[in-house]
Amino acid sequence: MAAAGLAAGAFAVGRATAAEGSESPDPTGSDDAFAFRGKHQAGITTPAQDRLHFAAFDLTAGSRAQLIALLKAWTEAADRMTRGLPAGEVGPTEGAVNLPPDDTGEAIGLPASGLTITFGLGPTLFRDARGRDRFGIADRQPEALRTLPHFPADMLDPRRSYGDLCVQACADDPQVAVHAIRNLARIGFGTVAVRWSQLGFGRTSTTSTSQSTPRNLFGFKDGTANVKAEETAAVEEHVWVGADDDPRAGWLAGGSYLVTRRMNMTIEVWDRQPLGEQEEFVGRTKDSGAPLSGGTEFSEPDFTMPGSAGPVIPKDAHVRVVHPDFHGGARMLRRGYNFVDGSDALGGLDAGLFFIAFVRDPDTHFIPIQNAMAKSDALMEYLKVTGSALFAVPPGARAGEYVGQALFET
Amino acid sequence: MAAAGLAAGAFAVGRATAAEGSESPDPTGSDDAFAFRGKHQAGITTPAQDRLHFAAFDLTAGSRAQLIALLKAWTEAADRMTRGLPAGEVGPTEGAVNLPPDDTGEAIGLPASGLTITFGLGPTLFRDARGRDRFGIADRQPEALRTLPHFPADMLDPRRSYGDLCVQACADDPQVAVHAIRNLARIGFGTVAVRWSQLGFGRTSTTSTSQSTPRNLFGFKDGTANVKAEETAAVEEHVWVGADDDPRAGWLAGGSYLVTRRMNMTIEVWDRQPLGEQEEFVGRTKDSGAPLSGGTEFSEPDFTMPGSAGPVIPKDAHVRVVHPDFHGGARMLRRGYNFVDGSDALGGLDAGLFFIAFVRDPDTHFIPIQNAMAKSDALMEYLKVTGSALFAVPPGARAGEYVGQALFET
């Protein structure tokens, strides 16, 4: 509401913004705005915002021209909304009374709130279930962009999995994140339908050394060993697709792969486990997040340190099972969120972790680690994976470009 | 995280608080704490916080003693959590390693965040579906505490309706609200099960003149004419149950009735309506919220002012249909929240308004107004009520008391 009296003219009741007409992020407090355009898409190495609205869409129209028109319209709207502007040029209340507004209005008066909008392309966009080339792009489908394999303990709900396209909207105000997804859905009406959508209320990872580590619904710090934006070499190595990674998919250079996993926690059972066992499952202490082998949160775990019976960090502890030392050094940039979606049929909360990770190659950086976790991680007893999806995230759109342009035009 | 280094001793890793050992709300910024104990329950006239986690519970155990023990335990835990303390005295990480913690830990380091916890009692607590007196309190069931009647256009999901008990947790941080409900469910394990639960991400009403009016997902300001805490006479008249209101239910004096209605909006259809029609449905302008008869947001609507065809505020406009002038002056204290719960089967968002109102008597202050709305409000074309519940909200628990004590012990 801070800038309610600031704006004048066409956006007299439009959204407040500090970044209008500029592509540089605003450095001041509540009006934080991150540039939508650039070498990479925003919302990956951007310091993780507090709230999430994630949506997967399916194409309901069949032409390549419609798909490109949608990506162009989404790019323009995302560029506007991440500046704190209405989704369309007219805005929510300034248009003719006989026309629907080109912005839905619930974000009037709210600042940009750190909004980032990140687009991804699912495997079914390239080939449908019968293998047909839907939009003339099948020969450019990245090798690694396939439906994820079935993992042990997966109990996937197809209505919470997969999708032709995805949009990740992150912001510090949930109304701003919801407004973004809702307006992109509105713009896509007739071309796309929402396949599934997920709200996340609390981030579970930090993507910047400037952020403190938040807690997941197990009550433990989550994301201590995450790839951070400041680790520029690690980001290049583990997050961004390289120009020579995949000869079929040069268009993806500078992009990434986005994995989502909806991990329900059986929190009512977890809450009855003794503190010591919870810590052995995780391999870290609950208070400081230090490895059970000692030190502080950011100390490297010592997997050889002996305990009273076997190593002090058990072999099936989460921190050991997924540790880069056992996966060829592979690391992920995680950006997950806590969720609660009402209640389940057993009188518990339908709650858990909506896992999001950005990786350079899911075949080396996600699938082997997920397999190890599903097979031998002690935490799996308290997890049930109900949703899953993989998307290719194109590089950023520069001025005048639309997201994914290189896929269609080079 | 601000006070992470503040605490010492037993709560070294406990939650930060500015109100520890005091019942007075802390006047400073982020550590806002509202006293749990008092004449009335908090969370009603308290300035509406930004986030909601609401849960309805069913009793799974049958004894009056178990019910009372639960209410005592919940009262103690709520008193602690609203001060920013862990749910139990030992806390999330300070206990013995061979015992489950008495707090789940995800709120470690977070301040009180304006948390309020408000308890309610459903009609089925007094008499079950077969009319049986479950806990020896049937003769004290308030006259007005009955399952709400079926309203036109109700499409109720029983898994989102009703309940023996309810808990409304409001806070400025959703992780704090979720932590509160989750720990109360944990404490109630074996006595209660979650029947349904609802997260709300954005408040849609203001309950204080110090707050600006937020917007619902129709994009309109919502709650302009709400009863505000500062209107002390109106609060006495319309919100609190009087000592002589119901001879069977003297225990409810100083309490209230809580109505919830989960109102799905067909936002994809709404978004295609012209601005002028949207404003005629509501009876207010979309930008300032002023009545269509003119003035500012807080101007009284003039229902007689002529327009080009009929009154300028149409007879079926929402503002007219529910206006106190047509309902014997009855007003509600609304405290609703926007929600998005994933997607619906039609490729839209499962989104809308989780309506919450506190009223002195649902027979005069809610049911007639809801009937009028269901029958003749233009907005109903864009609303589908999928959940509904009514609870009696006992007065506040004073020092040494538990919530609802007068129901059992006087």
Side-chain angles (χ1 to χ4, degrees), chain A residues 97 175 182 217 271 276 338, chain B residues 97 99 175 182 217 271 276 338:
Chain A
V97 294
Q175 184 113 345
R182 187 249 191 105
L217 293 184
D271 288 346
N338 297 324
Chain B
V97 294
L99 290 176
Q175 184 116 341
R182 188 251 190 103
L217 293 184
D271 288 346
N338 297 323

Side-chain angles (χ1 to χ4, degrees), chain A residues 34 62 92 151 194 275 323 331 344-345 349:
Chain A
F34 297 109
F151 298 102
V194 176
L275 176 62
H323 195 274
R331 297 172 65 193
D344 63 26
L349 295 174

Side-chain angles (χ1 to χ4, degrees), chain A residues 159-180:
Chain A
R159 293 165 308 171
R160 297 187 184 277
S161 301
Y162 320 123
D164 291 341
L165 297 165
C166 79
V167 185
Q168 171 194 275
C170 299
D172 292 324
D173 185 330
Q175 184 113 345
V176 170
V178 164
H179 171 265

Side-chain angles (χ1 to χ4, degrees), chain A residues 146-164:
Chain A
R146 306 180 303 272
T147 301
L148 290 171
H150 175 85
F151 298 102
D154 272 10
M155 301 180 65
L156 301 187
D157 179 348
R159 293 165 308 171
R160 297 187 184 277
S161 301
Y162 320 123
D164 291 341

Side-chain angles (χ1 to χ4, degrees), chain A residues 16-259:
Chain A
T17 175
E20 189 170 345
S22 151
E23 286 193 16
S24 46
D26 169 48
T28 64
S30 65
D31 274 4
D32 268 343
F34 297 109
F36 175 74
R37 295 181 181 277
K39 181 179 179 188
H40 307 293
Q41 287 198 61
I44 303 172
T45 57
T46 309
Q49 303 93 326
D50 289 338
R51 321 288 171 226
L52 167 80
H53 192 186
F54 194 103
F57 294 86
D58 281 341
L59 269 290
T60 55
S63 90
R64 178 180 170 115
Q66 280 174 300
L67 172 58
I68 291 173
L70 174 74
L71 292 171
K72 286 181 177 173
W74 274 5
T75 297
E76 288 306 311
D79 190 356
R80 294 182 56 83
M81 290 191 286
T82 52
R83 296 168 193 263
L85 296 174
E89 287 189 7
V90 175
T93 64
E94 296 294 303
V97 294
N98 60 345
L99 290 176
D102 64 9
D103 181 280
T104 55
E106 69 270 26
I108 291 173
L110 302 181
S113 307
L115 175 67
T116 56
I117 298 174
T118 314
F119 297 98
L121 315 175
T124 49
L125 192 72
F126 293 82
R127 282 189 181 84
D128 69 12
R130 296 183 224 171
R132 287 179 303 202
D133 183 358
R134 302 171 69 187
F135 301 105
I137 51 178
D139 59 340
R140 296 179 164 215
Q141 179 169 1
E143 173 75 25
L145 185 66
R146 306 180 303 272
T147 301
L148 290 171
H150 175 85
F151 298 102
D154 272 10
M155 301 180 65
L156 301 187
D157 179 348
R159 293 165 308 171
R160 297 187 184 277
S161 301
Y162 320 123
D164 291 341
L165 297 165
C166 79
V167 185
Q168 171 194 275
C170 299
D172 292 324
D173 185 330
Q175 184 113 345
V176 170
V178 164
H179 171 265
I181 294 290
R182 187 249 191 105
N183 277 273
L184 296 175
R186 181 183 56 75
I187 289 165
F189 183 80
T191 307
V192 286
V194 176
R195 180 182 174 92
W196 53 269
S197 118
Q198 179 71 53
L199 250 66
F201 64 80
R203 67 182 171 86
T204 61
S205 289
T206 161
T207 56
S208 167
T209 54
S210 66
Q211 300 184 297
S212 58
T213 312
R215 289 178 186 269
N216 61 29
L217 293 184
F218 285 143
F220 280 70
K221 290 188 181 182
D222 199 329
T224 297
N226 209 21
V227 173
K228 310 267 197 316
E230 291 81 359
E231 302 177 78
T232 48
V235 170
E236 287 297 330
E237 181 182 350
H238 298 290
V239 180
W240 305 129
V241 174
D244 304 320
D245 283 10
D246 183 343
R248 295 202 301 194
W251 60 270
L252 191 55
S256 188
Y257 288 89
L258 191 175
V259 181

Side-chain angles (χ1 to χ4, degrees), chain B residues 125-174:
Chain B
L125 191 72
F126 294 82
R127 283 188 181 85
D128 68 13
R130 297 183 222 171
R132 287 180 302 201
D133 184 358
R134 301 171 70 186
F135 302 106
I137 51 177
D139 60 340
R140 296 179 162 213
Q141 180 170 1
E143 174 74 25
L145 185 65
R146 307 179 303 272
T147 301
L148 290 172
H150 176 83
F151 297 101
D154 272 10
M155 300 180 67
L156 301 186
D157 179 348
R159 292 165 307 173
R160 296 187 184 279
S161 302
Y162 320 125
D164 292 341
L165 297 165
C166 78
V167 185
Q168 171 195 274
C170 299
D172 291 325
D173 184 331

